């Protein structure tokens, strides 16, 4: 142990000696201190501590070892950092050593910094050590490092307005985008605290607002009469949410001024149908505020695009409209309203929201085939195609309106009208000819009207090789015409389609149309003239003006083609006002489409001084077309009558509506005229204030349709006919089918009555015919107003041939009296020209046979039951029972002959006869319920010798129980 302790002591002594040697060697200052080359610092104003990046630390390789295990060692000053030196002029910072041994130091401000005076500071710094020995000889300095210090701002200043107050003047009745601008500033140095982020109007409930840039504007039109001056208090906030130290006062004065505008203009103008022309601006005048005016120009627009096909027009069928406009022959309507005679449009969706205007919608999947023979157009003859179309920007595919193509085997298009990329294209392929030369085949028009989603009227006049196009009455020339060879000869039939093109080779439709079509017409043999085209497009409503003579030369008036807008120009304000007061709205339809038509007046004025020229605002209003009184069309006449079979089989036939009358009425509510009536009815119901009055009116009809009720017409032995000469005389047309006939054409109710009186029904095979029923319906404006269903039933009276009867069984029944037959009343039926011969309706004959058979059966049954009852009575008497029997009516059955009916005037005679018969019956000993039943049947079927001649005259034919 002693030896080990000695060794430890020796080791410590050696270590101490080594350290002493090292310290002695370290007394020599060999190295310079080292610092970073650049420093960045941040200091907040009003604070002295600077945050440096990186931290301020000086290193020196001469630094001694401070500690050796647990022994304290005396260190020399060589290698220690004694200080930092800042180089620069007026640098408000100092550097301080925190620890000499580690070289750690800080930079701090000498005084409080002000960011507003200087935001950044840049200087150099240098470190130096303590040198050698106590006197610090041989001191070493480091290199110079650059220091960048940024002074951070604090929000110490509040916004200050540049002006002590603000003033502005505005004119009443005007909304400004900006009235004036207030501006505040902030003395803070940073962007955040020096910017004004918000302005605020402190004064509550004022019609002004201010934005973040300080612009003040009014939120409503100001009135001088309401307030002459507004005083607003405005404040500001910087982005640090410091409010302005003082708010600012803003004074806005309202200056009364004249308002250049149209005065005396009513925004709502009611138009009552059938009143003719209505002045729109009877009291209107232009206020120019005494500004010298050199010229005035006003445009008045009537918006009617939402009505029908661009405006209010008659909604008759397109064929009727063509006739009314003068195209009286050769027209074929390819999109008619569905009816019994024209049913190929039944499956198409229609737009029923436009006053019964027949508009068909195509959505790219529907198409229809036109029946064969409807159109016989040949390229050798001139023809016209007209159509109303509404089409928007579509796809880049062809969209077919009308197409005539091969029905089978091939896909050749003989002619077609289609749309492609806002172009209207007509394809015309010629028939085979000897000369196989190129000839015009496709005609292209590039038009905005093809794809602007508005209704337009297109008319193509084709007189090969020339094709003329009219759109809304204006002519357009094709911009491109391509040529092709004629078609090869073929015996393949063609198919006419609408809304797509039939591909005969594949048996399907292609090139579907997307849009709306109406009034598709083809007229062969003649071209439409400009007068007819203009008539078809002309609106039934529009603007009109009757110029006073004294101002006609001072003012110029121009209309657009459909009179939906007009322009007035002049330089005399008084004359201008008079013209405006004579502008009117006119709707010539008897039953116009109700609804709103917006009005707009745009005015431009020119002054001697353009700078101070007034501006006239647009005036807007609307015309309210009131709902017209809807007419009630009533058909009346003889609705049930009988005719002999010979009349049905005759050349003239039977008139179905010989006494038909067509009446149209409207119902109006009329208020009580006198106060006395109101006083008299004061004690009655006070809610009854109006009286309903029915008034007969006259208007046209455009369709009457006669249809068969029940089985369809058999063309082999029956028909409906009408006098064609009378139809042509009145400009009407007739189409017929096995369902009936349809008469079309716009004409008066009186003329329709006259034509309908002539409709006759013929039947050449009346043996099995007992009755026929028909229904008549008339309408106006393409089905907008429809009459009642007037049903007519006609009975066929079959005449039996007079023959000698071999026995009494063949004698005619006793309820037919040949002498008085002509005066018989057939329960309300009108029997005209009845034959005096004996007649028995076939149905009545069948009933008689059945009744007689039933009567014979009941007689036999009665005899059997009488005999059985007699035997039972005899047994009862033998057994000692009382010879008395109670009346038993449990099995009583009364059967009345349906052919036996007597008039009321003979009722007393019948009762007397019945009493006599009942007395005779009481004389019988034994009577059962069966006996009474059979006796009643026998009474109804007594032979002629028991009834008497007088009874025959009392009986009449009653067909109320017959089924026709």
């Amino acid at each position: 142990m002693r030896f080990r302790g000695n060794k430890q002591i020796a080791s410590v002594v050696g270590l101490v000696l080594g350290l002493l040697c090292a310290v002695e060697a370290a007394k020599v200052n060999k190295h310079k201190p080292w610092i970073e080359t650049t420093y960045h610092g941040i200091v907040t104003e009003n604070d002295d501590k600077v945050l440096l990046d990186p931290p301020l630390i000086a290193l020196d390789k001469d630094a001694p070892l401070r500690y050796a295990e647990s022994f304290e060692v005396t260190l020399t000053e060589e290698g220690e950092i004694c200080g930092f030196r800042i180089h620069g002029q007026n640098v408000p910072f100092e550097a301080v050593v925190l620890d000499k041994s580690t070289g750690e130091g800080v930079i701090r401000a000498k005084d409080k910094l002000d960011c507003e005076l200087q935001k950044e500071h840049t200087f150099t710094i240098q470190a130096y050590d303590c040198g050698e020995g106590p006197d610090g000889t041989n001191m070493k300095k480091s290199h110079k490092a650059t220091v960048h210090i940024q002074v951070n701002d604090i929000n110490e200043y509040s916004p200050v307005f540049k002006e002590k107050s603000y003033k502005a003047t505005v004119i009443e009745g005007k909304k400004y985008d900006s009235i004036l601008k207030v501006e505040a500033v902030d003395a803070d140095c940073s962007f955040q605290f020096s910017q004004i982020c918000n302005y605020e109007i402190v004064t509550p409930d004022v019609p002004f607002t201010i934005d973040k840039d300080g612009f003040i504007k009014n939120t409503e039109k100001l009135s001088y009469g309401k307030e002459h001056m507004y005083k607003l208090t405005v404040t500001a906030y910087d982005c640090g949410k410091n409010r302005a130290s003082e708010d600012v006062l803003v004074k806005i004065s309202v200056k009364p001024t004249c308002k250049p505008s149209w005065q005396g203009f009513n925004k709502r103008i009611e138009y009552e149908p059938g009143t003719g022309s209505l002045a729109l601006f009877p009291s209107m005048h232009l206020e120019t505020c005494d500004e010298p005016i050199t010229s005035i120009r006003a445009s008045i627009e009537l918006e009617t695009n939402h009505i029908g096909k661009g405006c209010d027009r008659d909604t008759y069928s397109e064929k009727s409209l063509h006739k009314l406009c003068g195209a009286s022959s050769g027209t074929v309507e390819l999109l008619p309203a569905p009816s019994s005679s024209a049913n190929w449009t039944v499956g198409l969706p229609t737009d029923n929201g436009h006053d019964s205007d027949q508009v068909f919608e195509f959505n790219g999947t529907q198409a229809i085939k036109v029946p064969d023979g409807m159109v016989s157009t040949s390229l050798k003859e001139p023809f016209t195609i007209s159509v109303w179309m509404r089409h928007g920007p579509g796809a880049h595919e062809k969209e077919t309106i009308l197409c005539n193509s091969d029905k089978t085997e091939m896909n050749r298009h003989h002619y077609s009208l289609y749309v492609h990329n806002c172009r209207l294209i007509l394809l015309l392929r010629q028939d085979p000819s000897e000369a196989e030369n190129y000839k015009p085949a496709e005609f292209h028009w590039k038009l905005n009207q093809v794809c602007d989603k508005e209704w337009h009227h297109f008319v193509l006049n084709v007189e090969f090789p020339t094709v003329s196009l009219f759109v809304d009455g204006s002519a357009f020339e094709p911009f491109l015409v391509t040529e092709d060879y004629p078609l090869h000869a073929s015996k393949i039939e063609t198919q006419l389609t609408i809304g797509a093109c039939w591909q005969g080779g594949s048996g399907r439709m292609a090139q579907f149309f997307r849009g709306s079509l109406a009034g598709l017409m083809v007229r062969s043999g003649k071209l439409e003239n400009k007068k007819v085209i203009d008539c078809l497009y002309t609106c039934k409503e529009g603007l009109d003006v009757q110029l006073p003579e004294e101002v006609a030369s001072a003012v110029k008036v121009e209309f657009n083609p459909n009179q939906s807008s007009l322009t007035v120009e002049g330089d005399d304000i008084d004359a201008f006002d008079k013209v405006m007061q004579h502008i009117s709205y006119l709707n010539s339809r008897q039953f116009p489409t109700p609804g709103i038509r917006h009005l707009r007046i745009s005015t431009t004025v020119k002054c001697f001084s353009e700078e101070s020229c007034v501006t006239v605002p647009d005036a807007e209003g609307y015309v309210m077309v009131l709902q017209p009184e809807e007419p009630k069309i009533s058909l009346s006449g003889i609705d049930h009558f009988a005719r002999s079979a010979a009349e049905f089989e005759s050349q003239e036939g039977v008139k179905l509506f010989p006494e038909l009358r067509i009446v149209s009425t409207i119902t109006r509510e009329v208020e009580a005229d006198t106060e006395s009536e109101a006083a008299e009815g004061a004690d009655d119901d006070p809610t009854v204030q109006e009286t309903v009055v029915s008034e007969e009116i006259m208007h046209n009809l455009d369709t009457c349709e006669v249809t068969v009720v029940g089985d369809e017409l058999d063309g082999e032995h029956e028909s409906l006919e009408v006098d064609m000469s009378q139809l042509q005389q009145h400009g009407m047309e007739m189409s017929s089918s096995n369902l009936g006939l349809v008469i079309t054409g716009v004409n008066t109710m009186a003329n329709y009555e006259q034509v309908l009186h002539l409709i006759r029904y013929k039947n050449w095979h009346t043996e099995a015919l007992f009755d026929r029923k028909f229904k008549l319906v008339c309408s106006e404006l393409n089905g907008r107003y429809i009459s009642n269903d007037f049903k007519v039933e006609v009975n066929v009276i079959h005449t039996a041939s007079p023959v000698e009867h071999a026995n009494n069984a063949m004698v005619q029944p006793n309820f037919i009296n040949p002498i008085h037959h002509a005066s018989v009343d057939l329960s309300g039926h009108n029997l005209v020209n009845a034959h005096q011969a004996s007649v028995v309706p076939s149905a009545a004959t069948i009933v008689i046979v059945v009744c007689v058979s039933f009567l014979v059966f009941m007689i036999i049954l009665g005899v059997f039951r009488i005999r059985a009852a007699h035997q039972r009575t005899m047994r009862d008497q033998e057994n000692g029972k009382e010879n008395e029997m109670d009346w038993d009516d449990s099995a009583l059955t009364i059967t009345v002959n349906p052919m036996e009916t007597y008039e009321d005037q003979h009722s007393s005679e019948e009762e007397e006869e019945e009493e006599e018969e009942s007395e005779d019956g009481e004389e019988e000993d034994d009577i059962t319920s069966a006996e009474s039943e059979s006796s009643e049947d026998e009474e109804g079927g007594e032979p002629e010798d028991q009834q008497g001649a007088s009874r025959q005259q009392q009986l009449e034919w009653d067909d109320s129980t017959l089924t026709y």
Side-chain angles (χ1 to χ4, degrees), residues 814-817 820 823-827 898-906 951-959:
N814 56 9
F815 57 84
I816 297 297
N817 189 346
H820 301 282
S823 61
V824 174
D825 183 10
L826 297 182
S827 302
M899 307 307 298
E900 186 177 10
T901 304
Y902 306 101
E903 291 188 339
D904 294 339
Q905 65 259 25
H906 306 298
R951 178 67 54 85
Q952 292 182 359
Q953 298 179 4
Q954 296 169 6
L955 295 180
E956 288 185 322
W957 171 259
D958 181 15
D959 61 355

Side-chain angles (χ1 to χ4, degrees), residues 699-713:
H699 59 78
N700 291 331
L701 298 177
D702 60 358
T703 303
C704 280
E705 183 173 6
V706 181
T707 55
V708 182
V709 179
D711 296 337
E712 298 179 358
L713 291 174

Side-chain angles (χ1 to χ4, degrees), residues 275-430:
T275 56
S277 180
L278 174 66
L280 297 176
F281 323 113
S283 304
M284 190 170 70
H285 67 277
L286 179 62
E287 179 60 63
T288 60
C289 303
D290 297 328
E291 184 73 25
I293 304 296
T294 59
S295 66
I296 311 171
R297 186 178 188 273
S299 297
I300 299 91
E301 296 181 6
L302 179 71
E303 296 182 7
T304 60
N305 291 337
H306 61 290
I307 304 296
K309 297 190 289 290
C311 66
D312 209 1
R313 297 182 175 89
D314 282 331
T315 56
Y316 293 120
S317 67
E318 198 67 21
K319 192 170 185 179
S320 297
L321 291 175
H322 274 70
K323 283 192 174 183
L324 291 174
C325 288
S328 58
S329 62
T331 56
V332 178
E333 190 171 6
L334 300 183
L335 284 176
S339 64
S340 60
S341 60
N343 57 2
W344 63 86
T345 58
V346 172
L348 285 178
T350 59
D351 181 3
N352 295 322
H354 294 308
D355 185 27
S356 297
D357 203 359
Q358 199 68 46
V359 174
F360 295 93
E361 302 287 346
F362 294 83
N363 62 6
T365 60
Q366 301 115 334
I368 57 173
K369 295 181 178 180
V370 179
D372 295 339
M374 291 297 298
V375 179
S376 59
T377 303
S378 172
L379 296 181
K380 296 180 181 179
E381 59 182 5
F383 66 94
T384 298
I385 300 176
S386 64
V387 65
W388 285 93
M389 182 178 70
R390 180 176 59 190
H391 182 264
H396 297 292
E397 302 174 354
K398 294 181 178 180
E399 299 180 42
T400 301
I401 300 171
L402 179 68
C403 180
N404 186 33
S405 58
D406 289 333
K407 184 176 289 189
T408 56
E409 299 182 19
M410 292 189 290
N411 299 330
R412 298 181 306 170
H413 297 180
H414 294 255
Y415 63 85
S416 67
L417 180 64
Y418 62 93
V419 175
H420 189 207
N421 291 334
C422 288
R423 299 181 182 182
L424 184 68
I425 303 172
L426 176 66
L427 170 67
L428 288 174
R429 296 294 303 277
Q430 292 194 57

Side-chain angles (χ1 to χ4, degrees), residues 746-814:
V746 181
N747 220 309
T748 63
M749 293 186 293
N751 287 340
Y752 263 95
E753 273 188 10
Q754 183 178 351
V755 171
L756 292 173
H757 289 167
L758 303 177
I759 294 180
R760 298 173 178 271
Y761 171 65
K762 294 182 179 181
N763 194 306
W764 304 278
H765 185 68
T766 59
E767 289 81 1
L769 180 66
F770 304 121
D771 58 65
R772 252 315 192 179
K773 297 179 181 179
F774 301 90
K775 181 179 71 173
L776 172 63
V777 178
C778 294
S779 64
E780 164 70 337
L781 294 174
N782 207 16
R784 181 180 176 184
Y785 302 116
I786 303 176
S787 72
N788 60 306
D789 291 350
F790 179 64
K791 296 181 179 180
V792 172
E793 179 178 348
V794 293
N795 301 121
V796 181
I797 301 176
H798 294 276
T799 303
S801 300
V803 295
E804 296 293 335
H805 300 289
N807 52 54
N808 291 334
M810 296 299 295
V811 177
Q812 63 181 17
N814 56 9

